[in-house]
Amino acid sequence: MKHYLLSVMQPVGEPPAPEVLEGIMHDLDVFHAELKEAGAWVFAGGLHGPETATVVRADKGDVLITDGPYTESKEYLGGICLIKAPDLDAALEWGRRATLATTLPIEVRPFMGETED
């Protein structure tokens, strides 16, 4: 089985209203339960906004640490889900389910190399 990263692309701006977010979180819990039942679950988690980021960068043998996001964008990485799937088609099906649960764009990307259980 290969591992795939499902990246949740969060738009910059105000979060959904609490009653909308409650429904999304319920759908996300159902999605995670389906992943676990299918044996595809590895890990998932949401991320704080990019304003909480700290960038650590090598610079001529030294390390620079700066607050804030590395780049400015209209969307940012809002969460990740690491899954196991036999092939890209299966991973894309999980991505389809994830976008329906979150109502947000999902980027599906394979890790380099084959992994075994």
Side-chain angles (χ1 to χ4, degrees):
M1 291 267 222
K2 283 192 66 91
H3 286 94
Y4 292 85
L5 180 66
L6 307 182
S7 301
V8 181
M9 305 312 297
Q10 178 74 41
V12 172
E14 292 297 315
E19 61 275 5
V20 174
L21 190 55
E22 185 178 323
I24 291 171
M25 296 309 293
H26 172 268
D27 292 346
L28 196 53
D29 287 343
V30 170
F31 171 67
H32 290 161
E34 291 172 349
L35 281 170
K36 290 173 183 176
E37 186 175 312
W41 169 271
V42 176
F43 172 82
L47 298 170
H48 288 282
E51 69 281 357
T52 66
T54 302
V55 179
V56 181
R57 178 180 322 162
D59 183 35
K60 299 175 187 164
D62 199 5
V63 175
L64 300 176
I65 299 174
T66 54
D67 291 335
Y70 179 68
T71 61
E72 291 189 24
S73 175
K74 292 183 180 181
E75 6 179 70
Y76 62 91
L77 183 62
I80 63 167
C81 185
L82 182 59
I83 64 166
K84 294 184 287 186
D87 55 37
L88 180 59
D89 288 338
L92 289 173
E93 174 58 23
W94 287 116
R96 184 188 74 76
R97 292 180 186 188
T99 196
L100 291 172
T102 64
T103 72
L104 296 171
I106 303 293
E107 179 183 83
V108 178
R109 199 187 284 193
F111 280 82
M112 293 180 171
E114 296 291 327
T115 59
E116 299 293 325
D117 264 345

